[in-house]
Every structure is written in structure tokens, then in C-alpha cells.
Amino acid sequence: MLNNKGQSLVLFILIIPILLGIMTLVLDVGNVLIQKNEMDNQIEFILDYGLTNKIEQIEQETVSEEAKNELSEDEKKDTLSEEKTTELEKLKTLLDYNQKNSQNKVIAQEDSIIISSKSYVKGIFATFFGFNGFEIESEYRGYLDGNIKKIEKIK
């Protein structure tokens, strides 16, 4: 008759690495979802800030329209392009400050602002199996509908 002692120990030793792999994968996916949520919240906040400044800018333009009528056409174009550039730089700086290891883009159109961000989240599972990590990507569009701010997710 064979001795059956130790069979469950062998089975346990064979299953432990599989269980640890599943646990690290679950932790990494949870971390990726948290990072994605934080990225989305930051982009929405920055879009809200940009749209609020756009509303204020529209209100200031109506007040200072008389002063702009005295400027030549070239001076008007230069003023508008400078204002747009500085506003874009502010939004890009905010985005880069909040998301340090990301590829960020801010695109301002006449009626909307588009912000896209792409990042990689490294985790235990990714490090162990030797790949770059999990890619997270978000893209949002914000625009004004009258004086109401609208923010919608594109990606």
C-alpha cells in the first residue's frame, strides 16, 4: 500500500504561484483604475478652470470692445493670439504639474478646449513579467453652451 502523506503539500506548492499571480494582477488592475480615475478628475478640473476663464474673457471682451475698435486689424490679431497662447500655456502647465509622467496635449479651438493625456502605470505584475506597464489614456472636450460649461469624455 502506498503512503498518501504529502500529496496535498505538493498540490499546495503548485497552486501558490498561480494564486499569488492572480492576487498581484488584481492589485495592479485596481491601481490602474485608481490612476485612471485621478487622471480623469484632474483633466475635468483643468477643463473647468479653462472654461471659467473663457467665460470671464468673453465678459471682459464685451466691456473692452470699444477700446479694441480703436486698434488696427493687425494689432487685434496679435492681441487675440497672445491671449490664446498664454491661456493654453497656463492649462498645459497645470496639466504637466498634476500629471508628471504623462504625455499631455491641450488644443484650443474657437469654441472648445480639448485635453488629452496618456500615461503608463507600472505594477508588480508588469515588472515581474517584463512589460512596460498598463497604458491609460483620457481625452476630454469642454465647450460653452451659452454661459453653461459642458465637459464630455471623448476617450
Side-chain angles (χ1 to χ4, degrees):
M1 186 176 237
L2 294 174
N3 188 359
N4 292 334
K5 290 183 178 181
Q7 286 181 357
S8 61
L9 180 64
V10 172
L11 189 59
F12 180 73
I13 289 174
L14 291 175
I15 291 179
I16 273 293
I18 296 169
L19 290 174
L20 287 175
I22 291 171
M23 284 176 33
T24 57
L25 183 62
V26 167
L27 289 173
D28 283 353
V29 169
N31 186 31
V32 167
L33 292 175
I34 289 170
Q35 296 291 330
K36 173 91 167 122
N37 191 20
E38 285 179 8
M39 178 188 286
D40 288 345
N41 289 340
Q42 290 170 354
I43 290 174
E44 285 180 15
F45 175 77
I46 292 168
L47 262 176
D48 185 47
Y49 172 78
L51 292 174
T52 302
N53 286 347
K54 202 169 195 168
I55 289 173
E56 290 172 1
Q57 186 180 17
I58 289 170
E59 290 171 353
Q60 288 175 357
E61 284 177 4
T62 56
V63 171
S64 65
E65 196 170 306
E66 296 170 359
K68 285 187 180 178
N69 286 338
E70 297 173 5
L71 298 173
S72 70
E73 290 298 318
D74 291 334
E75 290 173 331
K76 286 180 187 177
K77 287 179 185 176
D78 290 341
T79 306
L80 287 173
S81 66
E82 286 174 15
E83 289 173 359
K84 199 176 204 180
T85 304
T86 55
E87 196 59 41
L88 276 177
E89 288 172 359
K90 282 182 192 176
L91 294 178
K92 180 84 166 101
T93 302
L94 267 174
L95 194 61
D96 289 339
Y97 179 76
N98 285 316
Q99 299 177 15
K100 292 184 174 52
N101 297 323
S102 300
Q103 299 169 355
N104 303 313
K105 270 195 248 177
V106 179
I107 303 167
Q109 298 171 340
E110 194 166 308
D111 60 340
S112 66
I113 301 170
I114 297 174
I115 295 179
S116 63
S117 184
K118 184 181 194 180
S119 181
Y120 289 94
V121 178
K122 256 207 175 267
I124 301 167
F125 193 80
T127 304
F128 186 71
F129 286 104
F131 62 96
N132 289 338
F134 301 96
E135 180 182 298
I136 55 174
E137 187 174 2
S138 284
E139 189 169 346
Y140 280 82
R141 177 177 172 258
Y143 60 95
L144 295 174
D145 187 12
N147 270 352
I148 300 170
K149 296 180 268 187
K150 303 268 181 150
I151 297 174
E152 57 189 32
K153 187 171 185 165
I154 298 172
K155 266 193 216 172

